[in-house]
């Protein structure tokens, strides 16, 4: 299977490592970090979606995760032969809320529970959203104790957040975001309509980069910290159906429209007193959006933290980082 990411570092001698597991709607992910929070190994398989599809059923996600997890552990075998797993952290729900549930996370949770029981090591639980924000904080090397603002942009989520570190991870409150489809859904739907593979974000980004200067985006409605991408998406779909437009320019228009919505969210947070922003999620892999957000925060004197290259998209490094932090407190 060529649809996977792998980073592997051979480790001389026995070393302590911390395992993160994440089974999301898009990717099966395992990650090992060491006591210094450096990534020792990172393995992922993107879930397969039929051409023209715009997502998967939960049962199909569970099926693919169940097949993918043994493959990923086999890829980690070389590192694990010379390492000692000290603790495991696994994502078990989309958000840390009582009503937040998705069967896809049961696949990873089952593996985490079984491994922790067999190895006799601690098992920590956290949400997928916490995992994304912690993946960014791992790049900083610490979590801290001060509240911060976050923005989580993924295939199914556009959330403006206020996060407070606590003993379980991050206590997150949603203060804004999208009132309908997410930024990722808007990008994916436009990409699929342009006959690009799903998930379409990377392909839309690649085509958009060929357009300079970027095409001006559509107006995005915003009220009380809530933006709406459904109107621009309908407009874009009509333009595609009408034909005759350059797909690269439509991709550039799509990303510029997403940025106009995000800029409204950032304005809302800045008016609320935002001074520190952590930006996470697969959509934040997009080069154009990262540059626009960096420029915005520089102009408004906001401290911005982005994930290290390759760690904005779904991955398990945040969970592994959390396991290492928790075990470090016991030393």
């Amino acid at each position: 299977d060529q649809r996977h990411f792998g980073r592997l570092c051979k480790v001389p001698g026995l070393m302590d490592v911390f395992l993160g597991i994440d089974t999301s709607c898009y990717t099966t992910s395992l990650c090992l970090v060491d006591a210094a929070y450096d990534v020792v190994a990172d393995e992922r398989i993107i879930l397969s979606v039929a051409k023209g599809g715009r997502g998967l059923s939960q049962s199909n996600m569970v099926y693919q995760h169940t097949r993918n997890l043994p493959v990923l552990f086999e890829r980690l075998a070389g590192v694990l032969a010379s390492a000692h797993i000290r603790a495991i952290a696994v994502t078990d729900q989309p958000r840390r809320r009582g009503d937040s549930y998705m069967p896809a996370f049961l696949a990873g949770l089952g593996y985490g529970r079984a491994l922790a029981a067999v190895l006799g090591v601690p098992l920590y639980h956290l949400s997928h959203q916490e995992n994304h924000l912690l993946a960014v904080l791992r790049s900083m090397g610490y979590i801290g104790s001060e509240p911060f603002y976050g923005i989580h942009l993924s295939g199914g989520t556009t959330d403006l957040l206020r996060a407070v570190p606590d003993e379980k991870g991050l206590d997150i409150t949603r203060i804004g975001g999208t009132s309908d489809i997410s930024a990722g859904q808007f990008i994916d739907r436009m990409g699929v309509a342009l006959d690009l593979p799903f998930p379409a974000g990377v392909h839309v980004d690649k085509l958009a980069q060929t357009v300079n200067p970027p095409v001006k985006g559509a107006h995005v409605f915003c009220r009380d910290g809530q933006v709406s991408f459904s109107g621009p998406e309908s407009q874009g779909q009509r333009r595609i159906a009408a034909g005759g437009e350059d797909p690269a320019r439509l991709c550039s228009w799509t990303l510029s429209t997403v940025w106009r919505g995000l800029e409204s969210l950032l304005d809302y947070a800045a008016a609320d007193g935002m001074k520190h922003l952590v930006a996470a999620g697969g959509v934040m892999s997009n080069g154009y959006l990262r540059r626009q957000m960096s420029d915005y925060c520089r102009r408004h004197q906001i401290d911005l933290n982005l994930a290290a290259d390759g760690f904005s998209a779904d991955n398990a490094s945040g969970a592994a980082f959390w396991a290492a932090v928790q075990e470090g407190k016991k030393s």
Side-chain angles (χ1 to χ4, degrees), residues 16-20 31-35 84-87 320 323-324 327-328:
D16 287 338
V17 294
F18 305 86
L19 172 65
C31 185
L32 296 172
V33 304
D34 62 19
H84 169 229
I85 296 178
R86 279 272 309 279
E327 290 303 294

Side-chain angles (χ1 to χ4, degrees), residues 196 201-215 247-256 286 288 291:
L196 299 175
V202 63
H203 308 287
V204 171
D205 189 19
K206 185 175 180 180
L207 277 177
Q209 288 177 25
T210 66
V211 179
N212 190 27
V215 177
R249 291 185 62 81
L250 283 169
C251 288
S252 178
W253 174 85
T254 299
L255 296 183
S256 294
N286 183 277
Y288 170 75
R291 289 191 298 273

Side-chain angles (χ1 to χ4, degrees), residues 121-144:
V121 300
L123 175 66
Y124 300 100
H125 298 238
L126 70 162
S127 69
H128 180 71
Q129 192 165 67
E130 288 171 282
N131 173 60
H132 265 301
L133 293 177
L134 288 167
V136 181
L137 298 181
R138 185 199 65 81
S139 304
M140 299 164 53
Y142 66 95
I143 296 174

Side-chain angles (χ1 to χ4, degrees), residues 226-245:
Q226 300 289 333
V227 298
S228 172
F229 288 116
S230 60
E233 195 246 336
S234 296
Q235 180 183 342
Q237 294 290 354
R238 288 194 297 270
R239 292 172 64 174
I240 293 171
E245 292 199 52

Side-chain angles (χ1 to χ4, degrees), residues 130-191:
E130 288 171 282
N131 173 60
H132 265 301
L133 293 177
L134 288 167
V136 181
L137 298 181
R138 185 199 65 81
S139 304
M140 299 164 53
Y142 66 95
I143 296 174
S145 58
E146 294 299 315
F148 59 87
Y149 287 78
I151 193 159
H152 180 197
L153 305 173
S154 69
T157 303
T158 295
D159 284 341
L160 178 64
L161 312 164
R162 188 181 291 114
V164 181
D166 64 11
E167 71 282 354
K168 294 181 180 179
L170 299 173
D171 183 10
I172 296 172
T173 303
R174 186 183 189 275
I175 61 173
T178 180
S179 60
D180 42 46
I181 64 171
S182 70
Q185 286 172 319
F186 174 34
I187 294 169
D188 282 335
R189 290 178 183 184
M190 288 292 293

